[in-house]
Amino acid sequence: MNKNGYEINYDKWGHVTLVSQLLIAGFVFLTEVLNNALLYVTRSQGYGPETIVGKLIRYLFLTTLINFGLILISQFIVRKTKDNMKRRLILMIATILICTDVAFSHYQFAVTLVIFVIPVMISILYEDFQFLKQALFMSLIGQTIAVIARASDSLYNKDIGPEAAIAYTFTISIFIFARIILNTLLVRREELGEALVSAEKMNAAEERVQLSLKMLETLARALDAKDKYTNGHSARVAVYSTKLAKELRWDDAAIENLKFEALLHDIGKIGVPDSILNKPDRLSETEFNLIKSHSLIGADILKDMAALPNSKYVAKYHHERYDGTGYPSGIGGVDIPLNARIVCIADAYDAMSSDRIYRKALPNEVIREELVKGRGTQFDPELLDIFLKLFDEQKLSVRVNTSHMTENNSEHRYVMDDIDHVIHNITQLEQKSDSVKYFDKFYIYMRNIGMRYNRSIEVMSIILKTKQNDKTEVEEDAAQAMETAIKKNIRAVDVYFRHSVSEHLIIFLDAGVENIDVIAQRIMFEFQATKYKDQYEILYKLNEDV
């Protein structure tokens, strides 16, 4: 990590520096060998053979051996050094010493002085202004050493002042150019880093939003299971609401938001006791006020839901009336948020078209009549007219993963008769193992019934297993507690069958695996609240893939 906060691959750039050193040393060696070999053959500069051989030996000792020796020594030190900053500095010093040796030993002094550009350019790789300055400073020192050494050489009688001035100027110019490059590189790196961080934050935020929506959707379904006579209500209201929004030609994003807002409109019922939600008798004024409080509770739950900012308004105002006589705030007309007005219509329609604990579903002609009666009083008249158009065109049929079967439904009655027949046969067997010992075989009975009536039938086995080796004296009491927990939490259309003290079976009709999971969790929580939780554990088996 350099001082600018970027992760630097020191091993990579250290390798680049080593390669640069080898290229300098190797290039100078090969150049001198070829140059002197050519002079030896052609005698073009008037040198005798002895002079040429002497020059070659001189370059081999003064340049090649020293350069490769510096490379070996620097690599030995680097491998013994753990600190990346020190390793970087050692490599740079070795590079500059090699450049100094080459500049001093080569007769083309003006040309070889430019070799100090190489360490300055290499320093860019480390993306550090301070190191760039250090490289320039050491290069200038190396040039100065080479100039002084060459000026002291009695065999070299040429004025080196102009050549040295040009070399210094060129090196400093390259430093300025390198600084501009490095500054541009760092700015671009920062911009890229900021863009990546921003993208990561956006992705993380989107993931959190999707996770939150998924959790809230699961919570809404669990809430529907809490009221066994309105199971699937929120999902249906979401479908009706989005159908109306499509008729209004909303864009896909707005429709998707409305779907989740409608799905969560009754989220506040989590604060209403089950005994009130499932009460078959007339509610008292206090109980009705508790039911009405779900709109405020829901708004409070969703108040910080940034992904669905309008969800709190839908939860709060979906029971407001267009004439201003609704609850909880008594607002009316267009003061009621548009999405809440849409959900209000969908909510009322589903309430009338579904079985409730206090009545059966109303006939279509009665539902339409009630909707028309509410035009301009309970419902937004313009929205209602569009909804009635969907109603008349029979576009409001939905398929949600829940049961709409009631005791009066003839098909349901036939299914129940067949299930009762199977259970009766099982209970009459002296050896029940023929039909029930193997859970898969019992499931096949139920699945065949479901296929006969094109219904989804799932069977869950709940085993009450003692945590001790032997049966306890309270086994029957624990089984009774389990039976109570099951009956309290299954839906009205589900069938419970106690096969033995330890094994209990539930037959789910058109429930869907997600709803079954919710019911199973509620049963477990109910049993965990009893005094038998420390003596018994619950084992589930849902056989859906036989």
Side-chain angles (χ1 to χ4, degrees):
M1 183 78 72
N2 72 353
K3 64 183 296 181
N4 295 298
Y6 299 120
E7 192 70 30
I8 300 298
N9 190 333
Y10 287 99
D11 290 335
K12 178 180 179 181
W13 300 138
H15 178 70
V16 170
T17 304
L18 171 62
V19 170
S20 300
Q21 294 171 351
L22 291 171
L23 286 175
I24 295 171
F27 178 76
V28 170
F29 171 73
L30 290 176
T31 300
E32 290 304 324
V33 169
L34 292 175
N35 183 52
N36 285 281
L38 184 62
L39 289 175
Y40 186 86
V41 173
T42 62
R43 311 290 197 274
S44 60
Q45 296 185 16
Y47 293 117
E50 297 82 4
T51 304
I52 295 174
V53 172
K55 285 179 58 180
L56 182 59
I57 293 174
R58 178 188 175 192
Y59 280 113
L60 286 175
F61 279 97
L62 291 182
T63 305
T64 307
L65 293 181
I66 292 177
N67 289 343
F68 283 103
L70 285 170
I71 293 172
L72 291 174
I73 293 171
S74 64
Q75 286 299 308
F76 176 79
I77 297 174
V78 164
R79 294 180 188 279
K80 296 292 184 179
T81 305
K82 300 298 183 182
D83 185 87
N84 282 324
M85 305 298 287
K86 292 180 180 179
R87 293 167 65 189
R88 178 184 69 176
L89 190 60
I90 292 167
L91 287 171
M92 183 56 68
I93 291 173
T95 304
I96 291 173
L97 289 175
I98 292 171
C99 293
T100 302
D101 182 54
V102 172
F104 163 71
S105 62
H106 201 281
Y107 281 102
Q108 300 297 326
F109 190 55
V111 177
T112 54
L113 275 178
V114 179
I115 201 170
F116 288 97
V117 169
I118 294 175
V120 175
M121 296 302 293
I122 289 177
S123 64
I124 297 177
L125 300 176
Y126 294 95
E127 302 182 39
D128 190 331
F129 281 124
Q130 191 63 34
F131 187 59
L132 180 61
K133 293 177 183 178
Q134 293 172 359
L136 173 66
F137 178 72
M138 288 186 288
S139 295
L140 293 176
I141 291 177
Q143 282 182 332
T144 302
I145 294 173
V147 168
I148 293 173
R150 178 52 60 88
S152 303
D153 189 349
S154 59
L155 298 176
Y156 193 81
N157 54 12
K158 186 177 179 181
D159 183 9
I160 63 173
E163 295 177 349
I166 293 173
Y168 282 124
T169 302
F170 189 77
T171 303
I172 293 174
S173 298
I174 291 297
F175 164 76
I176 296 173
F177 179 68
R179 183 178 176 86
I180 294 173
I181 294 176
L182 183 54
N183 184 66
T184 303
L185 181 63
L186 292 176
V187 170
R188 293 292 182 267
R189 180 75 71 95
E190 287 180 358
E191 292 175 350
L192 178 60
E194 290 174 358
L196 290 174
V197 170
S198 178
E200 288 176 358
K201 287 181 178 179
M202 290 180 63
N203 289 336
E206 180 65 22
E207 289 177 0
R208 287 195 296 271
V209 166
Q210 294 301 323
L211 180 60
S212 297
L213 293 178
K214 189 66 177 177
M215 292 175 63
L216 288 173
E217 185 176 3
T218 301
L219 180 58
R221 290 177 177 174
L223 197 60
D224 275 351
K226 179 181 171 78
D227 185 349
K228 55 192 175 186
Y229 281 90
T230 60
N231 192 20
H233 167 70
S234 296
R236 293 191 298 272
V237 170
V239 173
Y240 302 141
S241 298
T242 54
K243 285 178 180 289
L244 181 51
K246 289 178 181 178
E247 289 295 312
L248 294 171
R249 300 187 183 281
W250 285 13
D251 60 55
D252 292 341
I255 293 174
E256 185 72 6
N257 286 342
L258 178 62
K259 181 187 78 171
F260 280 104
E261 291 162 5
L263 196 62
L264 300 171
H265 77 283
D266 272 342
I267 200 74
K269 284 186 177 180
I270 196 171
V272 180
D274 292 7
S275 57
I276 296 178
L277 288 176
N278 295 314
K279 184 177 180 180
D281 303 325
R282 184 180 181 84
L283 297 175
S284 66
E285 182 178 355
T286 301
E287 291 170 334
F288 185 59
N289 287 333
L290 278 174
I291 290 284
K292 289 164 60 175
S293 70
H294 80 275
S295 58
L296 292 175
I297 296 172
D300 188 60
I301 291 173
L302 300 173
K303 65 182 179 181
D304 296 322
M305 185 62 181
L308 295 170
N310 291 325
S311 60
K312 56 181 176 292
Y313 302 121
V314 172
K316 183 175 182 179
Y317 297 122
H318 70 278
H319 282 297
E320 298 288 0
R321 293 170 58 95
Y322 199 75
D323 60 7
T325 61
Y327 66 87
S329 301
I331 60 175
V334 294
D335 290 338
I336 305 172
L338 175 58
N339 290 19
R341 280 179 272 154
I342 291 175
V343 173
C344 174
I345 297 174
D347 184 49
Y349 172 74
D350 187 68
M352 290 185 285
S353 60
S354 304
D355 291 322
R356 293 298 173 97
I357 194 170
Y358 46 85
R359 60 148 175 81
K360 302 301 179 183
L362 301 178
N364 282 342
E365 58 272 15
V366 176
I367 294 175
R368 195 184 195 288
E369 182 181 345
E370 291 298 320
L371 289 173
V372 172
K373 284 182 181 180
R375 188 179 188 278
T377 55
Q378 183 176 355
F379 311 119
D380 181 314
E382 295 182 3
L383 294 178
L384 182 67
D385 289 344
I386 298 173
F387 192 82
L388 287 173
K389 178 175 178 292
L390 292 172
F391 179 89
D392 293 336
E393 294 175 355
Q394 298 182 350
K395 293 182 178 180
L396 295 176
S397 59
V398 297
R399 289 183 61 85
V400 292
N401 200 12
T402 185
S403 173
H404 300 287
M405 297 187 295
T406 67
E407 294 285 353
N408 287 344
N409 186 299
S410 59
E411 184 178 291
H412 169 72
R413 185 168 62 251
Y414 293 142
V415 176
M416 294 299 298
D417 288 345
D418 276 357
I419 292 175
D420 287 341
H421 177 70
V422 171
I423 293 177
H424 175 75
N425 290 341
I426 292 172
T427 56
Q428 298 302 310
L429 292 173
E430 292 184 2
Q431 298 295 328
K432 296 182 182 179
S433 59
D434 291 341
S435 298
V436 188
K437 181 179 180 181
Y438 298 102
F439 178 65
D440 293 346
K441 181 176 289 188
F442 184 65
Y443 173 76
I444 291 173
Y445 277 117
M446 298 299 102
R447 185 189 63 180
N448 290 340
I449 292 174
M451 293 174 62
R452 188 182 309 159
Y453 298 104
N454 195 26
R455 292 290 189 179
S456 169
I457 296 183
E458 306 296 344
V459 181
M460 175 182 284
S461 173
I462 302 180
I463 307 296
L464 197 60
K465 184 178 179 181
T466 178
K467 295 180 180 180
Q468 304 172 10
N469 294 328
D470 300 325
K471 293 183 179 180
T472 64
E473 297 179 355
V474 295
E475 185 179 22
E476 179 59 39
D477 294 335
Q480 186 61 45
M482 173 56 67
E483 181 176 338
T484 301
I486 293 173
K487 288 182 176 179
K488 185 175 180 180
N489 289 285
I490 62 174
R491 304 168 305 158
V493 295
D494 299 329
V495 178
Y496 164 70
F497 169 54
R498 177 174 168 180
H499 171 242
S500 66
V501 175
S502 60
E503 184 175 14
H504 304 252
L505 300 174
I506 305 173
I507 305 171
F508 294 99
L509 306 179
D510 287 343
V513 175
E514 292 179 349
N515 284 331
I516 292 174
D517 289 341
V518 171
I519 294 172
Q521 290 297 319
R522 291 172 61 81
I523 293 172
M524 182 184 71
F525 291 146
E526 190 81 29
F527 184 80
Q528 289 296 319
T530 69
K531 61 182 179 181
Y532 307 108
K533 64 178 181 178
D534 295 329
Q535 297 172 271
Y536 291 89
E537 61 178 334
I538 301 174
L539 303 178
Y540 294 103
K541 181 178 181 183
L542 178 64
N543 200 329
E544 55 180 324
D545 298 314
V546 175

